[in-house]
Amino acid sequence: TFAELIEKLSGVDGDFRLRFMTSHPKDVSDALIAAMANSKNAARHFHLPLQSGSDAILHAMNRHYDRAHYLSIVDKLRAAMPDIALTTDIIVGFPGETDADFKATLDLLRSVRFDMIYSFIYSPRAGTPAARMENQIPEDVKSARMQKLLAVQDEISLEINQSLVGKPLRVLVDGKSKNDADTYAGRSEAGKLVHFKSETDLSGQFATVRITRAEPFCLHGELQEK
């Protein structure tokens, strides 16, 4: 099973992070959560696609879970790993989405408090059942809802990131910034993008960075040690 794979990979010698992406809440088993919680290598970050906070829209999307089931998974993840960072996918403007459906999505964002979301405006794709559905949402309505969604999530992401200011984070360095040769970028265990200055090339290495400033989408800090 995938949970057993996580356990076996966690037994490999070396200093490394184990990260994976989930495509559907149906794949999140109690065994997987336990394997993550018991692993010294599994990053404390879980991507759990939601798509919509409305049961009616989830049913129309043929997602085979409802709001309550999704929230139960969130509760299990946080019970096993209180420090876990959660990210998700949201689709705005699916056919038939009412103001109440959209509000349900915003309410769930405020309740769960995701670290970050990947958001998309629904667009019809030829040959799909959704493209043939009635009650297609006007473009101006979809755009307005997207802006509202982003505003709510930006506020949440900023609040979460600001709580990290002053704290040291272990960052796996990706490489130099494209815009500044002295600035490096890497990812924290929670998957957060961290920028910092360094006189030496730390690409591919772990570095400890004390966070000095936060934005909704990234963090800035000072290099403490390699």
Side-chain angles (χ1 to χ4, degrees):
T1 67
F2 188 67
E4 291 170 339
L5 177 62
I6 297 297
E7 292 173 352
K8 287 185 178 295
L9 290 173
S10 298
V12 175
D13 290 336
D15 188 11
F16 63 93
R17 277 195 192 132
L18 184 57
R19 196 185 298 279
F20 60 90
M21 300 291 282
T22 45
S23 60
H24 201 289
K26 69 177 175 58
D27 298 318
V28 186
S29 65
D30 291 347
L32 175 58
I33 294 173
M36 280 191 69
N38 294 329
S39 171
K40 68 182 187 300
N41 302 105
R44 292 299 189 259
H45 168 218
F46 207 99
H47 186 74
L48 188 63
L50 171 64
Q51 311 305 351
S52 173
S54 163
D55 284 346
I57 297 302
L58 290 173
H59 179 73
M61 288 178 172
N62 199 31
R63 290 292 290 177
H64 296 291
Y65 59 86
D66 58 16
R67 180 188 182 100
H69 178 65
Y70 185 93
L71 290 174
S72 72
I73 298 174
V74 170
D75 289 343
K76 288 180 180 181
L77 286 166
R78 286 185 166 154
M81 296 165 281
D83 58 342
I84 197 165
L86 297 177
T87 56
T88 196
D89 298 334
I90 301 288
I91 294 176
V92 169
F94 192 81
E97 183 185 66
T98 65
D99 288 341
D101 292 325
F102 178 63
K103 181 179 181 299
T105 296
L106 296 183
D107 289 345
L108 197 144
L109 257 61
R110 295 186 179 103
S111 175
V112 174
R113 292 181 62 82
F114 295 101
D115 287 70
M116 186 177 68
I117 65 172
Y118 297 88
S119 52
F120 310 89
I121 293 178
Y122 168 80
S123 59
R125 292 184 181 178
T128 62
R132 300 189 296 273
M133 289 181 178
E134 298 180 355
N135 300 319
Q136 297 286 329
I137 308 301
E139 293 300 324
D140 60 333
V141 174
K142 289 191 288 187
S143 179
R145 288 177 180 171
M146 173 61 85
Q147 294 307 310
K148 177 64 174 177
L149 181 85
L150 294 177
V152 169
Q153 183 57 44
D154 282 357
E155 181 178 347
I156 294 170
S157 295
L158 181 58
E159 288 176 357
I160 292 174
N161 286 349
Q162 283 177 332
S163 71
L164 298 172
V165 173
K167 296 180 179 180
L169 295 183
R170 193 164 189 248
V171 175
L172 181 55
V173 184
D174 292 326
K176 293 183 178 180
S177 167
K178 296 180 180 179
N179 301 319
D180 186 344
D182 294 328
T183 298
Y184 284 77
R187 296 279 175 176
S188 71
E189 184 175 0
K192 296 181 184 295
L193 182 62
V194 180
H195 296 287
F196 64 95
K197 297 280 189 181
S198 177
E199 296 179 356
T200 56
D201 189 349
L202 300 176
S203 300
Q205 301 179 50
F206 283 107
T208 300
V209 179
R210 185 178 67 83
I211 304 305
T212 57
R213 182 164 61 89
E215 298 181 49
F217 301 107
C218 67
L219 299 165
H220 302 267
E222 298 175 345
L223 180 65
Q224 301 295 289
E225 61 182 74
K226 291 175 60 176

